[in-house]
Amino acid sequence: WKQHKIYCMPLTDAVKYSIEAIRPLLRDKYRVDDVDENLNCMFCLEGATPEDPLFQSGCACRPDSGMSIGHISCFQELARASFADEKKIGFDCRIAYCSHCSQRRNGIILFEMLLTLWKLYDVDILQVQQNIKSTHHAQAFKNTNALKCLDSVLDMANCMFPPSDLFVYTRLRLQFLTMNVQKQVPYPNKICSLLEEFAIDNRIGMNLRDLDNKCQTAIDFSRRYYEKILPLIPEYPMLKRFRALAVNNLAGSLLDAFKESLAYDNPLYSYIDEAERLIRE
């Protein structure tokens, strides 16, 4: 792959490269002990050291309240405890939300906590892609959660920094792998399976829009996603939310393609008409 595009590197290397590229940016953005030396960790009540600085968790709590400040290692212990608590449902074991303000955490704290969960679920998931069909149901569920944690980690880069094609391609590879692993998970009913399937489809459609010169690919994928949902709505009304997301992805992709066509002599006005029709319907 070194003689080809960097996007073709092994998925394990691509994920590792992305993580190491994001980490220092988040550490600089959310470090707080260099601003106020009197802050202490909310868990161990100790201050910062050069080797173990303090960071803000990115929730709505005020930094000077002491309720959102801590060492990364202490928050990682919280992630391990949440993973062991059977009451903490969801792939993120509810670590993404502050127990004081109930707002979502963000930044380096959530980044490192999600990486901790990924390792607890299955740190080797990226190295066993060829054996997916033979995966046991229980292991497939853990693998799916591990991949969701990694996808959420890379999503933080898309939300906070200018999109990078390498990050986007890596996320897409993770999401297509998740799609395949989810097929081995025995969901309790059809609607649960559909909700998970369309959640992945929605994220893939959104990421395709972030790639340069891939407008038609984004349009084709989002159109298939939209057409797949429509006949299921009468039987499963809960899917209406995903229909709205599919329309947003498809209409947005059509608009992106129209804007791109303005650089040529033949603007794609038909794409604008289709986008307007979809939104009206």
Side-chain angles (χ1 to χ4, degrees):
W1 65 266
K2 292 183 179 179
Q3 283 72 43
H4 196 240
K5 295 180 180 179
I6 190 173
Y7 316 124
C8 299
M9 72 169 69
L11 182 55
T12 303
D13 294 340
V15 169
K16 182 178 179 181
Y17 178 93
S18 300
I19 288 171
E20 294 306 320
I22 300 168
R23 180 177 276 132
L25 301 176
L26 292 177
R27 288 179 68 93
D28 291 343
K29 183 177 178 66
Y30 286 90
R31 183 169 178 173
V32 293
D33 57 71
D34 54 351
V35 177
D36 187 346
E37 297 179 354
N38 298 318
L39 296 173
N40 293 313
C41 174
M42 62 180 290
F43 296 106
C44 67
L45 304 181
E46 298 291 334
T49 65
E51 299 77 20
D52 199 6
L54 292 173
F55 297 92
Q56 209 269 338
S57 70
C59 64
C61 294
R62 290 174 50 184
D64 59 2
S65 69
M67 304 309 296
S68 63
I69 303 298
H71 302 107
I72 286 177
S73 57
C74 292
F75 276 99
Q76 288 173 324
E77 284 301 316
L78 174 62
R80 295 185 185 96
S82 297
F83 179 82
D85 188 346
E86 296 180 353
K87 297 180 181 179
K88 299 293 181 65
I89 60 174
F91 77 92
D92 64 356
C93 303
R94 298 295 296 173
I95 64 166
Y97 291 87
C98 174
S99 59
H100 301 287
C101 67
S102 300
Q103 298 299 305
R104 185 175 175 83
R105 293 188 172 105
N106 211 342
I108 187 63
I109 292 295
L110 181 58
F111 178 89
E112 297 292 355
M113 293 174 82
L114 287 169
L115 288 178
T116 298
L117 289 182
W118 158 53
K119 295 173 183 177
L120 291 170
Y121 279 124
D122 188 355
V123 69
D124 297 322
I125 176 58
L126 302 179
Q127 301 174 359
V128 293
Q129 301 175 53
Q130 305 304 320
N131 301 318
I132 290 174
K133 292 185 178 180
S134 61
T135 304
H136 187 271
H137 292 331
Q139 186 59 44
F141 183 74
K142 292 182 179 179
N143 291 348
T144 299
N145 286 342
L147 291 168
K148 287 180 179 179
C149 288
L150 283 177
D151 183 49
S152 296
V153 164
L154 297 187
D155 182 47
M156 297 173 66
N158 282 356
C159 293
M160 296 182 186
F161 308 110
S164 160
D165 275 1
L166 176 59
F167 292 165
V168 177
Y169 275 114
T170 302
R171 285 196 71 196
L172 285 169
R173 294 169 69 184
L174 285 173
Q175 288 159 356
F176 278 109
L177 177 57
T178 304
M179 183 187 299
N180 290 328
V181 172
Q182 280 185 170
K183 295 176 182 178
Q184 311 305 315
V185 177
Y187 291 105
N189 51 54
K190 180 66 173 178
I191 186 61
C192 289
S193 176
L194 289 173
L195 289 172
E196 291 291 338
E197 176 185 348
F198 290 135
I200 287 289
D201 284 347
N202 178 60
R203 292 200 293 273
I204 291 174
M206 293 173 63
N207 281 319
L208 286 172
R209 290 187 60 194
D210 288 332
L211 293 174
D212 293 332
N213 303 316
K214 296 294 182 182
C215 291
Q216 191 58 52
T217 302
I219 290 171
D220 293 342
F221 183 88
S222 296
R223 181 174 282 119
R224 287 195 298 271
Y225 166 36
Y226 175 67
E227 293 173 349
K228 187 166 56 174
I229 289 177
L230 283 183
L232 296 170
I233 299 293
E235 185 177 358
Y236 304 105
M238 292 177 63
L239 296 178
K240 288 182 179 180
R241 176 170 64 92
F242 285 104
R243 179 181 62 182
L245 295 173
V247 168
N248 182 68
N249 280 343
L250 179 52
S253 299
L254 291 165
L255 178 60
D256 293 339
F258 170 73
K259 290 179 178 178
E260 191 175 275
S261 73
L262 292 177
Y264 306 98
D265 294 333
N266 188 23
L268 299 172
Y269 291 110
S270 60
Y271 281 8
I272 290 295
D273 295 337
E274 183 180 356
E276 290 178 347
R277 178 182 58 79
L278 285 167
I279 293 173
R280 283 197 303 269
E281 290 177 356

